Amino acid sequence: MQIKDLKAKEDTTLTVMIKSVQSLRTAAQKPYLKFEFVDKSGSIFANKWSVKPSELEAFSAGQIVTVKGLVQLYNAQKQWNIESISVVEGDVDPADYVESSSMTVESLKEYMGQFMGQMQEGYYKEILQYFLEKYEQEFYVHPAASRMHHAFRSGLAQHVFEMLKMGEAYCELYPIVNRDLLYAGIILHDLGKLFEMSYEKCVKTEYTLEGLMVGHINMMVSMIDEASRELGYQGEEVLFLKHMVIAHHGKLEWGSPKEPMIIEAELLHYLDVVSAKMTAATMALQHCAAGEMSDRIPMLDNRRFYHHK
């Protein structure tokens, strides 16, 4: 059994990983522990209302624990009320409990090579080679977000793959699109998240101080400037690539310093939204049985979706 198999009103025992734990107090000022547990199938929030003083500091992110408790529905979301929790002793591999992309790192690298093979020699291909070689290890394991979409191991690379796959079709449909510029923008638009968020032990995704104060868009623009100078490039190509990164959120109120002003930037924004929303919905539906409604999906206006057969 995994987290996705948990059913409401059932008393269940399961071994999972702690993604986060907080020591909080009720309205009556009684201490309790709030957990988020994960395994390869998904995540669930849980509370331990009756807490011994020794338990308040006993748990931390990354621990593998065996949990017994009753699963209930709260605001249409499954939540675990913990009766007992104990740390699993001995040699355990945390990777066995980490939610990961369904695509292997090897397949993601292979697909990336195929898309790069469609590009012409020149600035856009060269700067991609520069970044993918420099940050290869981090790029293929990092999540694309802390929670909203592709928030799992190798999520960033999967997000880029999905966008490239869709972008390839749009380039065939609309020959006016500069394929090299589009592919470069897709691959680099979120690369700054390698530094915006830490991914400690593939368990805990937290914003870095620079991430909070500067953000992945501004970070990436600076990185493009630095790499372009190192590679000996300047001019419109560099400007267009920076604009792709700057405008990929689409609107000022969604966090873009500028709205798209070239068709490749407009298309990049749409591909980003489709990949994020469809994957968020897919993950939610994978975590509920056919014939049931999913949990609420923040990425989709907090709506629930029906998992039809």
Side-chain angles (χ1 to χ4, degrees):
M1 176 180 280
Q2 296 179 303
I3 286 175
K4 70 178 179 62
D5 303 314
L6 293 174
K7 297 186 183 300
K9 300 181 181 179
E10 286 190 359
D11 205 1
T12 308
T13 301
L14 193 62
T15 299
V16 292
M17 175 186 281
I18 299 175
K19 182 174 183 179
S20 65
V21 56
Q22 294 176 281
S23 178
L24 303 172
R25 289 188 176 272
T26 66
Q29 294 303 304
K30 291 185 177 180
Y32 74 98
L33 292 174
K34 181 180 181 65
F35 293 89
E36 183 177 7
F37 297 124
V38 293
D39 65 14
K40 282 187 173 292
S41 73
S43 65
I44 188 170
F45 287 100
N47 296 314
K48 192 172 192 305
W49 299 108
S50 179
V51 181
K52 300 174 184 177
S54 60
E55 291 180 312
L56 291 174
E57 303 294 335
F59 304 103
S60 59
Q63 288 178 325
I64 309 301
V65 292
T66 298
V67 182
K68 182 179 186 297
L70 180 66
V71 180
Q72 296 180 323
L73 287 179
Y74 179 73
N75 288 338
Q77 303 265 32
K78 284 184 284 189
Q79 183 174 278
W80 217 351
N81 284 335
I82 302 169
E83 297 171 22
S84 65
I85 175 172
S86 59
V87 177
V88 175
E89 302 294 340
D91 189 19
V92 290
D93 186 357
D96 292 338
Y97 297 89
V98 175
E99 190 172 10
S100 302
S101 170
S102 59
M103 304 179 71
T104 65
V105 169
E106 291 71 25
S107 66
L108 287 165
K109 287 182 179 180
E110 183 178 347
Y111 280 122
M112 204 65 61
Q114 292 175 9
F115 286 113
M116 293 278 288
Q118 297 177 20
M119 299 177 67
Q120 302 294 317
E121 296 299 325
Y123 168 68
Y124 296 127
K125 187 172 185 177
E126 193 171 336
I127 198 167
L128 289 183
Q129 291 170 334
Y130 172 93
F131 281 117
L132 290 176
E133 289 175 7
K134 187 171 184 177
Y135 301 113
E136 179 182 24
Q137 183 175 354
E138 298 90 340
F139 175 75
Y140 287 103
V141 299
H142 210 275
S146 61
R147 187 170 301 278
M148 294 294 281
H149 73 93
H150 297 85
F152 45 78
R153 182 180 173 88
S154 300
L156 177 58
Q158 180 182 318
H159 179 45
V160 166
F161 163 76
E162 292 168 1
M163 293 174 66
L164 287 169
K165 193 71 173 175
M166 291 185 287
E168 180 181 30
Y170 278 103
C171 286
E172 296 297 326
L173 190 60
Y174 300 107
I176 193 173
V177 173
N178 182 322
R179 183 189 300 265
D180 295 347
L181 175 57
L182 179 66
Y183 282 13
I186 288 172
I187 293 172
L188 297 184
H189 80 286
D190 271 349
L191 194 73
K193 289 186 175 181
L194 298 181
F195 309 97
E196 182 180 50
M197 300 179 296
S198 65
Y199 190 38
E200 184 180 348
K201 296 180 181 177
C202 302
V203 178
K204 187 167 58 173
T205 307
E206 292 186 338
Y207 282 87
T208 62
L209 180 60
E210 187 179 8
L212 290 170
M213 299 187 75
V214 179
H216 70 281
I217 289 178
N218 294 322
M219 289 179 182
M220 196 64 231
V221 171
S222 296
M223 291 165 65
I224 289 172
D225 268 333
E226 183 179 345
S228 299
R229 286 194 297 269
E230 187 174 330
L231 295 171
Y233 287 98
Q234 58 182 342
E236 279 194 345
E237 288 182 315
V238 178
L239 174 64
F240 294 158
L241 183 55
K242 290 193 293 184
H243 180 70
M244 295 287 280
V245 174
I246 287 170
H248 79 265
H249 284 174
K251 294 183 179 296
L252 302 180
E253 58 266 34
W254 293 347
S256 273
K258 290 290 183 180
E259 295 181 345
M261 298 181 186
I262 53 177
I263 58 171
E264 292 81 7
E266 184 79 3
L267 180 54
L268 170 62
H269 167 61
Y270 296 145
L271 299 177
D272 190 24
V273 170
V274 172
S275 171
K277 290 191 174 185
M278 287 301 296
T279 297
T282 299
M283 297 299 292
L285 292 171
Q286 286 177 349
H287 298 159
C288 72
E292 294 183 357
M293 295 294 293
S294 73
D295 289 341
R296 297 190 182 277
I297 307 172
M299 193 87 201
L300 290 157
D301 305 318
N302 222 29
R303 285 175 282 142
R304 301 169 68 198
F305 280 70
Y306 181 69
H307 190 171
H308 57 76
K309 298 180 181 179

